[in-house]
Amino acid sequence: KKSKVDLSRSGILAPPGSNPDRDVIFVLGGPGSGKGTQCSRLVADFPGVVHLSAGDLLRAHTKSGTPDGDAVAGMISQGQIVPSSVTIRLLEAAMAQAASETAKKAGGEAAERSGREASSKHRFLVDGFPRNDENRAAYEALTGSDPALVLFFDCPEAVMRRRLLGRGQGRTDDNDETIAKRFRVFVESSVPVVEYYEKKGKVAKIDADRDPEKVYADVKRVFASRTGAAAKQ
Ligand code: ADP
Ligand code: C5P
Ligand code: MG
């Protein structure tokens, strides 16, 4: 049975990485640090911002009914990191789809009001990727580039644990046992990725242990100043 997700290469992440029509922003932080919550707010405030959660894409892929999807489901329930060959293809497909939707919209607008150029810059918030060195190296090999920015949500484990147990989305991995495994994977595999980009001056660290509005005030300011994006009026 074929996957519902189109896994053919779209080329949207292919080199050269210096495509002026798009920026990639990595959104990293431990499980429950508030990545998804803050990304939604950026999408609401900034035109051209697209939120792509690697975890959400992988969870959707588990519903494909393919052996590949079943393998991903098993890895998620154990808090393990899925190989980049799967995750990057899902990300690429989602990016290409978002870009084509915008192109369609811009085409329609141009037809209505000719002479007015539609801005087509995309800023992709890649949430929860790269999760380990293998993810990161694969992205680099494919794009030949670094992200424009890494937003890193810093939050104590006790706070993240409480949030995850209260999330209430029926996820197979929001239970005490898997949460402990995810924290271990985060410390051992994901923190080194943040440190790698820190050395390159790419990381903006946000104190995520505050109420969402306070966190977002920092996120919005840093995002605007580091990407040059202008918020909607
Ligand atoms: P992540 O995507 O990093 O795993 P989420 O955005 O899904 O995290 O947030 C995890 C849970 O914590 C959700 O139930 C969310 O509503 C809640 N949450 C997010 N940010 C905050 C915050 N700053 N304070 C309290 N709860 C939060
Ligand atoms: O980011 P999120 O908490 O939604 O991720 C849930 C799970 O999805 C992770 O614990 C992991 O099993 C999987 N995942 C992955 N590789 C990524 C992102 C998420 O394997 N880059
Ligand atoms: Mg999330």
Side-chain angles (χ1 to χ4, degrees), residues 150 152 191-205:
V150 178
F152 172 59
V191 169
V193 173
V194 177
E195 288 168 350
Y196 173 89
Y197 288 121
E198 232 160 28
K199 288 194 190 106
K200 294 188 157 203
K202 292 285 175 187
V203 176
K205 182 165 150 178

Side-chain angles (χ1 to χ4, degrees), residues 54-55 58-59 76 80-82 128-129 131 135 171 173 182:
L58 287 165
R59 273 185 291 281
I76 288 177
Q80 293 163 0
I81 307 302
V82 175
F129 179 95
R131 213 58 159 229
N135 280 186
R171 282 174 51 162
D173 55 351
R182 289 156 75 198

Side-chain angles (χ1 to χ4, degrees), residues 1-5 7 60-70:
K1 199 177 158 197
K2 243 190 127 222
S3 165
K4 266 188 236 158
V5 181
L7 296 182
H61 189 49
T62 64
K63 302 195 174 100
S64 65
T66 60
D68 195 49
D70 294 346

Side-chain angles (χ1 to χ4, degrees), residues 35-37 51 53 56 59 127 167 171:
K35 300 180 294 295
T37 301
H51 176 210
S53 159
D56 286 351
R59 273 185 291 281
D127 158 2
R167 182 152 56 181
R171 282 174 51 162

Side-chain angles (χ1 to χ4, degrees), residues 149-200:
L149 172 68
V150 178
L151 286 174
F152 172 59
F153 293 106
D154 190 28
C155 198
E157 279 191 5
V159 174
M160 296 194 287
R161 185 174 169 280
R162 195 167 60 231
R163 290 182 187 172
L164 292 172
L165 290 173
R167 182 152 56 181
Q169 287 177 356
R171 282 174 51 162
T172 60
D173 55 351
D174 281 349
N175 58 77
D176 258 319
E177 198 185 324
T178 311
I179 287 170
K181 290 180 183 165
R182 289 156 75 198
F183 285 167
R184 202 171 320 130
V185 167
F186 175 67
V187 170
E188 287 172 4
S189 304
S190 308
V191 169
V193 173
V194 177
E195 288 168 350
Y196 173 89
Y197 288 121
E198 232 160 28
K199 288 194 190 106
K200 294 188 157 203

